[in-house]
Amino acid sequence: MWQKTVLVGWVGKDPRNRATSAGVAITTFDVATKMRRGTSTAKPWDETTWHHIVCLGTRLADLAARRIRVGSLVLVEGKLRLREWEDKVTGERKSRMELLCSTFEVL
């Protein structure tokens, strides 16, 4: 099955860099998108949604770490994935929807 997601939004914090135990470079950052909501009887309001972006691989992760900064307007393309894990302290199951980035552009 084919999947592609495109987001345009503002970066909320500077990207965070790390590497997996296998040495794969990872850069993550969060992007805010805004949607105008309202009804015919209510005053319109803006609804902000935060999206967690993951850049894998040396080339893409390093490029994201060098080019993206807090406040940058970015276009990000990739596929959605649901990451699930167990909290090591509480044992509670947790999950997070992420956008696995294939390409991005600073606008």
Side-chain angles (χ1 to χ4, degrees), residues 90-107:
T90 65
E92 182 181 351
R93 295 284 303 156
K94 297 195 174 201
S95 63
R96 175 182 231 174
M97 186 64 70
E98 300 175 326
L99 180 71
L100 189 56
C101 179
S102 58
T103 186
F104 71 89
E105 186 174 333
V106 178
L107 303 175

Side-chain angles (χ1 to χ4, degrees), residues 13 16 18 26-31 49-54 79-86 92-100:
K13 292 182 184 176
R16 296 162 301 282
R18 63 183 177 89
I26 300 175
T27 297
T28 60
F29 56 96
D30 297 308
V31 171
T49 304
W50 287 94
H51 309 274
H52 188 67
I53 313 299
V54 178
K79 65 180 183 175
L80 293 175
R81 76 171 179 186
L82 180 64
R83 185 169 60 93
E84 298 178 298
W85 70 95
E86 186 174 302
E92 182 181 351
R93 295 284 303 156
K94 297 195 174 201
S95 63
R96 175 182 231 174
M97 186 64 70
E98 300 175 326
L99 180 71
L100 189 56

Side-chain angles (χ1 to χ4, degrees), residues 63-76:
L63 187 61
R66 282 188 283 120
R67 303 240 4 249
I68 295 174
R69 292 288 169 253
V70 63
S72 298
L73 179 62
V74 293
L75 180 145
V76 183

Side-chain angles (χ1 to χ4, degrees), residues 5 8-9 38-39 43 49-50 55 64 69 75 87-88 98 104:
T5 302
V8 175
T39 63
K43 183 179 175 184
T49 304
W50 287 94
C55 299
R69 292 288 169 253
L75 180 145
D87 188 296
K88 293 177 184 176
E98 300 175 326
F104 71 89

